[in-house]
Amino acid sequence: MDRYLLYTVVLLLLGAASLSNARPRANRPPNFMRFVTNATDFASEDYYDYIIVGGGTAGCPLAATLSQSFRVLLLERGGVPYNRPNVMSHDGFLTTLTDVNSFDSPAQSFVSEEGVPNARGRVLGGSSAINAGFYSRADKQFFDNSGLDWDLTTVNQSYEWVERAIVFRPQLRTWQSAIRDALLEIGVHPFNGFTLEHKVGTKIGGSTFDRAGRRHSSADLLRYARNSNIRVAVYATVERVLLASSPSDSGCNVSAIGVVYRDQLGRYHHAMIRDRGEVILSAGSLGTPQLMLLSGIGPRSYLSTWGIPVAHDLPNVGDFVYDNPRNGISIVPPVPMENSLIQVVGITEEGAFLEAASTVIPFASPLRSVFIRAPASPLYVPVTTIMEKILGPVSVGSLRLASTDVRINPVVRFNYFSDPQDLERCVNGTRKIGEILRSRAMQDFMFREWFGSRRFRFVGVPLPLDQSNDLVMADFCRRTVSTIWHYHGGCVVGKVVNSDLKVNGVGSLRIVDGSTFSISPGTNPQATLMMLGRYMGLQMLRERMRY
C-alpha cells in the first residue's frame, strides 16, 4: 500500500478503529421501534405538548422521559440504525465514517476552516450511533463551570438510568492491556480499575458495545418511552422554528409555536405545540445554532446579510464553539493485533487525557495485482495508535451559515491552539506519549533490527526526537492536529440560554444538547449528553407539576 494512502486511512482510525474480514450481521429492529415512522406517513399538521428536533444523543432520552406524561414528537433527519449492519457492528466503525454522502448517510462529514476533517451523526441515536463507544462520566470541573445549577442526586440517577440499558464492561486484549500497563509504568496513578467515574489516574471505562460487538446507542433508550404518548418521525428535516409574537407580560418578544419540516418527497409538514408546550432543539453543536439562525434568531446584522427576517436579535448564536484537538502517533507492530476501540484512559494532572486504539487495515498487494492474474487477496496490516486529548479547550471558534439550505453543513472554525494554554497542555500530553513509547510495556511492539537494535515503525509523523524542546513539540501539535469528535458550544449557557436551558428572550423554546456546553465533559461526552437528556426531561416534568 502507498505510504500516504496508509497514513490517510490511519488518520481516520486515530481515536477508534476497526475493520475485520468478518461480514457484519444484520440486526432486527427492536420491538419498541413500532412507534418510529417515516415522515412521509405523518399528517400535514398535528399538535403535541413537546416537539424535539433531533433524535440524537440527548434527544432520545429526553423524548422517552417526557413521554411518560405528555404527547411528544421526536423529529430525526436521518433513518434508523438497526437496519444498517455497519452502524450496529464494532467492525463496521470505519466503514460508517467513510461511506458518506450529502444527504442521508448515517455519518455526515464536514471539514473545519482549518482543514481538519470531522463528522456528525445523521441517524436515530445521533453521534452515539457512529462513535467509538467509550463511556465515562463528567469530571467535577464540568459541573462546577457549566453554568447549570445541577441537582447531583438527579444527575447520578440519570446516569444510572442510561447505564442500566446500554453500558457494558469491556474485555481488554493485547493492545489495551499493554496501554494500561504502560500508563501505570510512567506514573499515571493510581489504577482505578473498571469505573464509569472520572478519576485521575488510569482506568478502564465503559463501552456501548456489548461482548458480541453489537452497538447500543441513545436510540435504545426509547424503549423507556410510553408508546401511547410518543411519535418518532425519521427522514424529517426541520427547516425552521415557527415563531409568533408573545403577550407583552410574558417577558419575551416572540415565542415558539411549532416547527416546519420536510419529508423525503419534499412535502411540508407543520408540527405545532399545545398550550404550555415547548419546542426543544437537540440537533447538536452544528445543527442547533444553524437552525436558530435560519429561524431568524441570532445577530441582527448577520441575519440581515443573508436576507433572513430577524425574529429575535440574539448576538451570540454561533459563537463560543470549541473542539478538543487530538494529537498522537501510529505504529505498525511486528505481531498480529486485534481490533479494539478505546477502552483504557489515562487521566493526568496536567490536563491531558491519554487513549489508544488498534485496528487491522485490509489492502490488496500491488505486487500480486501486477504479477498474478488471479483475483487479489487482501493482506491485513495491524496499526496501533496512541493519542491525547486536552482538557477544555480554552481556544474559541465560531459557526456561520454556508447556505439557507438546512441540509448543507454550516461553516465552522475552531481556532485550534489559538490560546497558549491549550498548546501547553498538548505539549505535556504528547510528551506523555513519548514516555509510553519508552516504557517496557511497549517493547513487544518494536521491530528487531540488525545487530540487535529495536525500533518502532511509524505510520505518518513520528514524535520529534528532541521532546524536551518546547518549540519543537508545539510545532508537532500544530502540524498534526486532528479531531476526536468532541466539538461543542454555539448556544452556550449564559449567552444564548439560561440556567434552565431556555433560549433568552424567546418563549417556549429550549435547547438540550452539547451546543450549550462551554467545556467538554471529561474524557468523552456521550455519557453526559445522554444523562442531560434524561435529567432535563425530569426537571421539565417537575416544572409542569408546580403549575
Side-chain angles (χ1 to χ4, degrees):
M1 174 184 274
D2 182 289
R3 171 179 282 270
Y4 176 77
L5 180 56
L6 183 60
Y7 175 46
T8 301
V9 173
V10 169
L11 285 179
L12 290 169
L13 297 170
L14 279 167
S18 74
L19 269 185
S20 81
N21 53 354
R23 180 180 295 274
R25 294 176 298 175
N27 294 274
R28 291 183 178 180
N31 290 334
F32 66 81
M33 295 297 290
R34 59 183 175 272
F35 53 69
V36 178
T37 311
N38 194 300
T40 55
D41 296 331
F42 277 66
S44 60
E45 183 171 304
D46 207 345
Y47 288 79
Y48 304 86
D49 296 301
Y50 292 100
I51 299 168
I52 301 170
V53 180
T57 312
C60 287
L62 175 64
T65 303
L66 291 174
S67 73
Q68 298 306 311
S69 300
F70 296 97
R71 189 167 193 243
V72 176
L73 173 65
L74 180 63
L75 296 167
E76 168 54 44
R77 67 195 181 116
V80 296
Y82 302 102
N83 59 359
R84 294 179 177 268
N86 285 321
V87 171
M88 295 303 298
S89 168
H90 175 284
D91 293 331
F93 174 82
L94 177 61
T95 303
T96 297
L97 283 186
T98 56
D99 186 13
V100 299
N101 60 47
S102 297
F103 296 119
D104 64 1
S105 55
Q108 182 179 10
S109 62
F110 70 96
V111 180
S112 72
E113 285 195 311
E114 294 91 346
V116 175
N118 213 317
R120 56 191 292 214
R122 183 170 50 194
V123 64
L124 193 65
S127 293
S128 75
I130 65 169
N131 66 16
F134 192 74
Y135 183 99
S136 183
R137 295 186 181 189
D139 54 306
K140 183 178 182 298
Q141 183 177 354
F142 171 79
F143 291 109
D144 291 342
N145 299 326
S146 64
L148 276 66
D149 184 17
W150 296 96
D151 174 353
L152 293 182
T153 298
T154 304
V155 166
N156 289 329
Q157 291 172 347
S158 299
Y159 274 129
E160 292 166 0
W161 181 83
V162 172
E163 291 153 10
R164 284 194 297 271
I166 66 168
V167 181
F168 306 87
R169 178 172 182 166
Q171 289 180 306
L172 302 193
R173 297 176 64 188
T174 305
W175 180 239
Q176 296 294 328
S177 296
I179 289 296
R180 174 201 59 199
D181 296 345
L183 287 167
L184 294 173
E185 186 180 332
I186 68 171
V188 185
H189 294 152
F191 179 52
N192 295 305
F194 170 71
T195 179
L196 304 179
E197 300 291 343
H198 184 98
K199 294 183 178 181
V200 171
T202 297
K203 75 164 195 171
I204 302 166
S207 176
T208 53
F209 289 98
D210 61 26
R211 292 292 178 89
R214 186 176 189 273
R215 182 190 293 278
H216 297 263
S217 71
S218 70
D220 291 30
L221 300 174
L222 290 171
R223 73 182 62 205
Y224 290 131
R226 186 174 180 180
N227 292 357
S228 59
N229 273 354
I230 188 170
R231 295 201 70 190
V232 179
V234 293
Y235 299 112
T237 302
V238 177
E239 298 205 339
R240 68 183 184 277
V241 179
L242 298 172
L243 302 164
S245 298
S246 296
S248 57
D249 60 351
S250 68
C252 298
N253 296 323
V254 295
S255 291
I257 59 172
V259 301
V260 58
Y261 65 96
R262 297 181 75 175
D263 61 29
Q264 285 179 300
L265 301 178
R267 295 182 301 198
Y268 285 100
H269 301 255
H270 291 77
M272 313 299 290
I273 56 174
R274 296 168 172 169
D275 184 44
R276 296 175 59 197
E278 290 186 32
V279 173
I280 307 164
L281 302 184
S282 297
S285 293
L286 269 64
T288 289
Q290 178 190 30
L291 192 55
M292 291 272 283
L293 294 171
L294 292 176
S295 302
I297 305 171
R300 179 181 299 277
S301 59
Y302 178 72
L303 293 175
S304 297
T305 64
W306 279 93
I308 298 173
V310 180
H312 179 60
D313 182 17
L314 194 54
N316 293 124
V317 175
D319 293 339
F320 302 100
V321 174
Y322 309 83
D323 188 29
N324 300 77
R326 170 172 55 98
N327 296 83
I329 55 91
S330 295
I331 59 174
V332 176
V335 293
M337 192 61 55
E338 73 279 355
N339 294 320
S340 74
L341 301 176
I342 298 167
Q343 296 173 333
V344 173
V345 62
I347 300 173
T348 71
E349 296 278 9
E350 296 83 10
F353 307 133
L354 300 163
E355 300 175 338
S358 59
T359 190
V360 179
I361 301 175
F363 69 96
S365 166
L367 292 177
R368 181 178 179 88
S369 62
V370 171
F371 294 107
I372 303 175
R373 294 198 175 191
S377 299
L379 301 176
Y380 294 90
V381 174
V383 176
T384 58
T385 69
I386 308 170
M387 68 210 85
E388 64 85 30
K389 162 193 168 176
I390 66 168
L391 179 72
V394 183
S395 301
V396 181
S398 61
L399 174 148
R400 293 293 179 263
L401 297 175
S403 168
T404 54
D405 184 343
V406 72
R407 299 173 299 172
I408 305 300
N409 285 318
V411 176
V412 62
R413 171 175 287 275
F414 293 116
N415 291 322
Y416 299 106
F417 301 128
S418 59
D419 190 290
Q421 185 176 353
D422 289 341
L423 195 58
E424 179 183 358
R425 285 173 172 164
C426 178
V427 168
N428 291 334
T430 49
R431 281 185 176 138
K432 287 291 185 184
I433 294 176
E435 292 180 38
I436 290 173
L437 292 176
R438 292 189 291 273
S439 69
R440 292 187 302 275
M442 289 290 106
Q443 297 303 300
D444 290 341
F445 302 95
M446 303 176 77
F447 279 86
R448 190 177 299 278
E449 302 293 327
W450 292 105
F451 308 112
S453 64
R454 308 181 78 179
R455 70 178 181 88
F456 291 108
R457 291 188 179 175
F458 289 94
V459 179
V461 182
L463 284 178
L465 293 177
D466 183 5
Q467 293 165 25
S468 64
N469 188 313
D470 287 349
L471 293 177
V472 170
M473 295 299 286
D475 179 65
F476 174 84
C477 286
R478 291 191 183 97
R479 286 188 297 113
T480 64
V481 64
S482 57
T483 185
I484 200 163
W485 306 292
H486 295 171
Y487 51 89
H488 50 281
C491 292
V492 299
V493 175
K495 301 292 184 179
V496 174
V497 296
N498 65 15
S499 60
D500 294 318
L501 301 186
K502 295 179 179 180
V503 175
N504 295 331
V506 181
S508 303
L509 182 62
R510 201 182 304 237
I511 298 175
V512 180
D513 62 22
S515 71
T516 63
F517 294 173
S518 57
I519 184 172
S520 186
T523 63
N524 298 72
Q526 76 162 341
T528 301
L529 285 167
M530 286 188 273
M531 177 279 290
L532 179 71
R534 171 64 172 177
Y535 177 91
M536 288 305 303
L538 293 173
Q539 296 295 92
M540 293 169 69
L541 291 177
R542 290 166 184 161
E543 282 181 17
R544 291 290 290 260
M545 290 175 63
R546 289 197 294 265
Y547 299 102

